[in-house]
Amino acid sequence: MESARQIFTRLKCLLLAQVLFLAGCFVPIKYDASVPLEIPSGFEGKISEQTISLDLPELILSAQIQAYDWDGQYLRRPLGVWIELNPKNGWVKFDPQYVTLKTDEEDELSSVSFLGPSNSWHSPRALAAGCGPRRFHSGIAITNIGVSQEWVVQANNEVGIYRPTVGPVFSEGKKCFMFWFDTDPMPVHTFVLSVGGITVDENKVPVPKILFQNGSLTTFRGIP
């Protein structure tokens, strides 16, 4: 249980944050992003901002499409797709080559590379989710990840990034993956995400196609 001192400190921090917010130290920032259109017919789940979570019989699958600021260059390829698998029981066998993305301008694409399985992290300020190592930098990027554009394109195995043809990977418990696709990341496009190759305790897990389209979001950023 929290001590009286810990409770008092937490309440002070909360009060200070509210005072700073009311004083104008945080400003609302609106931006366009690729957001899930709807829960596929016949399935259950929820949508929160950019993230969709599908409650499947064997696991909960969450996904988010992300565009990046690569080394100060805004919204350049590749486009990122964050996927989290949370099995209800047992081990997950996941073959990355069966994750594909179709855009309104291109045929179905396989990923350039992927990272995972690893542990998820979340950035409430950026309304975004990440996977594995992380770093922070300024810019328009919605998600800050601890890998470079060069590592992603080259599939640098030394930092845990691989080609999707590497073969199935195995994980236990809630784990995340990042996939990168060589396509225009601008959110004006429509994206259809297909996730296959998932097996839980030898049972194949069918996942419906997930549609993302342009949407407007608001976040708050601190100012000096």
Side-chain angles (χ1 to χ4, degrees), residues 15 120 129 135 138 151 167 170 189 194:
L15 179 60
S120 297
R135 63 185 170 88
S138 61
W151 291 347
F170 296 83
H189 297 296
S194 298

Side-chain angles (χ1 to χ4, degrees), residues 14-72:
L14 179 61
L15 179 60
L16 178 60
Q18 290 175 333
V19 170
L20 290 174
F21 182 87
L22 293 174
C25 294
F26 291 88
V27 296
I29 303 266
K30 286 189 176 183
Y31 62 93
D32 287 346
S34 297
V35 300
L37 177 61
E38 61 185 2
I39 301 297
S41 178
F43 291 84
E44 296 183 354
K46 64 179 181 179
I47 292 174
S48 177
E49 303 291 352
Q50 293 171 253
T51 305
I52 184 170
S53 295
L54 298 178
D55 191 349
L56 306 173
E58 298 85 0
L59 54 75
I60 296 175
L61 182 147
S62 301
Q64 185 182 91
I65 285 184
Q66 302 171 349
Y68 303 108
D69 160 14
W70 291 111
D71 299 323

Side-chain angles (χ1 to χ4, degrees), residues 96-141:
Q97 68 180 317
Y98 294 105
V99 176
T100 60
L101 191 71
K102 188 179 186 309
T103 79
D104 50 12
E105 292 189 334
E106 298 170 307
D107 294 331
E108 202 164 46
L109 301 171
S110 296
S111 64
V112 173
S113 59
F114 80 97
L115 178 153
S118 191
N119 296 319
S120 297
W121 52 265
H122 298 268
S123 173
R125 189 180 72 165
L127 305 178
C131 184
R134 67 186 299 192
R135 63 185 170 88
F136 295 94
H137 59 86
S138 61
I140 201 171

Side-chain angles (χ1 to χ4, degrees), residues 166-211:
V166 70
V169 296
F170 296 83
S171 64
E172 184 179 23
K174 183 166 64 174
K175 295 295 180 182
C176 64
F177 296 81
M178 282 300 310
F179 290 84
W180 290 281
F181 295 86
D182 183 18
T183 190
D184 184 356
M186 295 298 289
V188 294
H189 297 296
T190 297
F191 300 100
V192 180
L193 176 65
S194 298
V195 182
I198 301 177
T199 303
V200 176
D201 286 346
E202 304 304 321
N203 296 316
K204 290 185 177 180
V205 180
V207 180
K209 294 181 184 296
I210 303 172
L211 178 62

